[in-house]
Amino acid sequence: MNILNESCYKQTKYVRIATEIAEKLYFYAQWAGHFTCKRDFYIKRNNMKSYLLIYTVNGSGILNCDNSSYKMKKNSIAFIDCRQTHEYFPADDGWDFKFIHFYGRQSREYYELITMLYNSPVFLCDGPETESYFDKICDDVKNLKPEEQTSLTIYKILIGIIAQKRRTADGFVVSAVMDYISEHYSENINVSDIAKAFNFSRSYFTAAFSRKYGRSPYVYLSEYRISAAKELLSSTNLSVEEIAYKCGFNSTSAFIRTFGQKENVTPLAYRKNMQSLPV
């Protein structure tokens, strides 16, 4: 049974019917708005073909779904699959939130990925642009702006949520680690050196990086070096020995062995193949 008691001190809500093209190709907003709730505000629903994003501006709310209860605090986002039974209501008087109901291709895949990454449908969102994206979509729906524009903004919200989680991996910033590798790969560094640069043990660093990036830091460093070597092989006349040391390998034999394992050809054979390609 669906219950919709939208009891509010202030309420704005705009609805839009998607075009056939939007339904086939885009993320599309079904409705969007901004509620400042009274204490008796209460929503319960299921079996609705929609995904819901709630951004809490002030106060807090409670979301119950999947036999669990979650508190929606200031600057948090709740991501709800409205096909599943769920309910939400204020935790205190005057809960203030903005929302977007949307659907479209790959909505389910983004929902499953994001809730898996955060292990929760509710999570804090530190992006300063997040609230403005909610406002923009509300304005798009209100003023019937181009649907591809709205789709892009929804995409930015979802990608921003994913990027935030990728940035913060168990206490270290993954992008900072990658930047460090791009700056130091040509030096004779190893995983222990990288971990030390970020004040982590090798075992902790390896486990955290692997869990968040999907491959070990050793593999990432090796792949980065091979990628740099391929660029030098195809664009310079440097010898294999020179390239090996420029890309951080401690010996030519180690470079040739690693290159062969990754590319199934020797460095010289790779260079010959690249030189034979038409310009």
Side-chain angles (χ1 to χ4, degrees):
M1 179 177 67
N2 292 339
I3 301 173
L4 303 175
N5 176 19
E6 298 177 348
S7 179
C8 292
Y9 294 107
K10 296 180 181 179
Q11 179 188 111
T12 55
K13 182 169 67 173
Y14 304 102
V15 179
R16 185 169 189 180
I17 305 300
T19 63
E20 185 177 352
I21 290 177
E23 288 183 337
K24 287 182 177 179
L25 299 179
Y26 304 151
F27 292 115
Y28 55 92
Q30 298 159 314
W31 64 94
H34 185 179
F35 287 171
T36 304
C37 307
K38 294 183 178 180
R39 189 69 191 188
D40 60 339
F41 178 100
Y42 179 78
I43 302 292
K44 182 175 182 178
R45 62 165 75 88
N46 63 10
N47 295 323
M48 187 170 79
K49 189 178 177 181
S50 182
Y51 288 89
L52 170 61
L53 292 167
I54 294 177
Y55 177 79
T56 294
V57 179
N58 279 302
S60 58
I62 302 295
L63 168 66
N64 291 329
C65 62
D66 297 326
N67 298 314
S68 298
S69 185
Y70 306 90
K71 192 164 188 178
M72 297 178 282
K73 301 178 181 179
K74 183 177 180 178
N75 296 329
S76 72
I77 288 182
F79 198 173
I80 303 169
D81 180 354
C82 295
R83 298 170 305 172
Q84 308 299 321
T85 299
H86 64 281
E87 61 181 6
Y88 55 94
F89 49 86
D92 45 49
D93 193 50
W95 177 37
D96 187 15
F97 69 87
K98 298 177 181 181
F99 67 92
I100 305 160
H101 274 277
F102 75 96
Y103 204 74
R105 295 177 63 86
Q106 294 190 308
S107 297
R108 179 178 179 179
E109 287 79 3
Y110 275 94
Y111 169 81
E112 291 177 347
L113 173 60
I114 288 170
T115 53
M116 180 272 293
L117 285 174
Y118 287 89
N119 195 33
S120 172
V122 179
F123 37 86
L124 289 176
C125 193
D126 62 6
E129 71 285 349
T130 301
E131 185 175 357
S132 67
Y133 285 155
F134 276 72
D135 292 336
K136 187 176 186 307
I137 290 173
C138 192
D139 182 70
D140 285 357
V141 174
K142 176 184 177 182
N143 295 299
L144 302 179
K145 296 289 182 65
E147 289 172 299
E148 60 271 20
Q149 174 179 302
T150 306
S151 179
L152 178 59
T153 305
I154 293 172
Y155 175 77
K156 287 179 178 179
I157 293 174
L158 299 176
I159 289 298
I161 291 169
I162 294 169
Q164 172 182 274
K165 190 61 177 177
R166 299 296 193 196
R167 287 196 303 270
T168 53
D170 289 320
F172 71 88
V173 181
V174 174
S175 60
V177 174
M178 293 177 176
D179 287 343
Y180 181 88
I181 289 173
S182 70
E183 292 170 6
H184 298 278
Y185 75 92
S186 61
E187 303 167 18
N188 186 24
I189 61 168
N190 56 33
V191 173
S192 294
D193 296 321
I194 301 170
K196 185 177 180 180
F198 290 89
N199 297 314
F200 294 115
S201 69
R202 177 183 174 121
S203 59
Y204 175 86
F205 171 71
T206 297
F209 188 96
S210 301
R211 183 163 57 250
K212 298 302 179 182
Y213 191 69
R215 67 189 70 182
S216 73
Y218 174 83
V219 170
Y220 181 83
L221 175 60
S222 178
E223 290 178 345
Y224 196 98
R225 283 171 165 159
I226 292 299
S227 179
K230 288 164 65 176
E231 173 64 22
L232 292 174
L233 285 165
S234 61
S235 63
T236 75
N237 292 319
L238 292 172
S239 69
V240 170
E241 182 179 10
E242 289 175 304
I243 291 173
Y245 286 100
K246 277 185 173 292
C247 293
F249 292 92
N250 57 19
S251 71
T252 305
S253 60
F255 169 53
I256 294 173
R257 182 175 61 254
T258 304
F259 195 96
Q261 290 170 346
K262 298 287 185 182
E263 301 297 321
N264 294 318
V265 294
T266 66
L268 286 177
Y270 178 85
R271 169 176 275 169
K272 184 177 180 180
N273 290 339
M274 293 302 295
Q275 290 174 343
S276 66
L277 292 176
V279 177

